[in-house]
Amino acid sequence: NEETLLHQFQPPGQMGDILHRYRFVPPGAGPSDKFATVLMLPPDVFWLFYEDHGVPNERWATHDLQYAGFLVFQVEHRLAYPHKLDGQVSLGYPPDQTDDIKWQILAALNDQQCNGSIYLVGGSAGGSLALWCGLDSAAGSVTGWGSDVRAKIKAVVSFSGVTDLSNWNHPGLSS
């Protein structure tokens, strides 16, 4: 089911509540059951528009995780310019995307079905964001984020995510 994050877990300064997620609960789960929680970060698109099915490659992984007993959220984050989520005011430059994943993590941790253990899975850009949030304890503009929250991330899986941003050199560009 598609859900809008509670207002307290939305990035400030946008026009309304812009962050959403899809919830996938293990079969037979009751509303008061608690589960380790996986956040799936999209590999090829940055917003949810596949109705209630999520990004196609994520559907299979989500299904497997869901049937293995995990609560799974497929999450979205702000788009980089020139694209935008409905209500997005910012241009989508960093750190918007990592901040949005931090908001998603905080929302998951405050969900009644999360047992306090978070796992991040992402591909490509989603893999990079998963790694970044797994390593970054700086709050920035994300109220409530810090080392204590980051410690609740038990594992990060990054498929083809960028891992070295220290010395970007593109031979086709001149300074």
Side-chain angles (χ1 to χ4, degrees):
N1 297 328
E2 183 177 356
E3 304 171 342
T4 301
L5 297 188
L6 295 174
H7 183 72
Q8 68 201 50
F9 302 112
Q10 295 286 342
Q14 303 305 305
M15 293 183 66
D17 295 337
I18 64 171
L19 294 181
H20 302 86
R21 65 186 181 190
Y22 286 108
R23 173 187 298 265
F24 298 87
V25 181
S32 60
D33 292 341
K34 295 190 176 295
F35 306 96
T37 303
V38 177
L39 273 62
M40 300 286 288
L41 287 69
D44 51 2
V45 295
F46 303 104
W47 68 95
L48 305 172
F49 63 90
Y50 289 100
E51 299 175 11
D52 287 337
H53 303 296
V55 177
N57 351 5
E58 288 184 26
R59 279 188 290 193
W60 306 311
T62 297
H63 177 271
D64 291 345
L65 289 164
Q66 180 184 13
Y67 277 78
F70 290 92
L71 172 63
V72 182
F73 292 117
Q74 291 184 3
V75 301
E76 69 179 358
H77 55 79
R78 278 175 279 184
L79 299 169
Y81 181 81
H83 306 288
K84 291 189 175 193
L85 297 173
D86 290 340
Q88 177 179 328
V89 173
S90 70
L91 293 177
Y93 294 129
D96 286 353
Q97 291 78 13
T98 51
D99 283 356
D100 289 351
I101 301 306
K102 290 175 182 179
W103 287 118
Q104 292 278 5
I105 292 167
L106 288 167
L109 286 168
N110 283 278
D111 189 277
Q112 67 181 7
Q113 289 188 298
C114 178
N115 72 3
S117 294
I118 297 290
Y119 299 84
L120 304 175
V121 177
S124 191
S128 296
L129 294 173
L131 288 168
W132 194 272
C133 288
L135 296 170
D136 184 12
S137 60
S141 65
V142 181
T143 304
W145 184 264
S147 295
D148 56 331
V149 174
R150 189 186 58 141
K152 296 181 184 296
I153 300 172
K154 303 304 178 189
V156 173
V157 178
S158 174
F159 297 103
S160 302
V162 176
T163 57
D164 184 0
L165 301 173
S166 62
N167 185 15
W168 187 73
N169 183 5
H170 189 284
L173 297 177
S174 60
S175 43

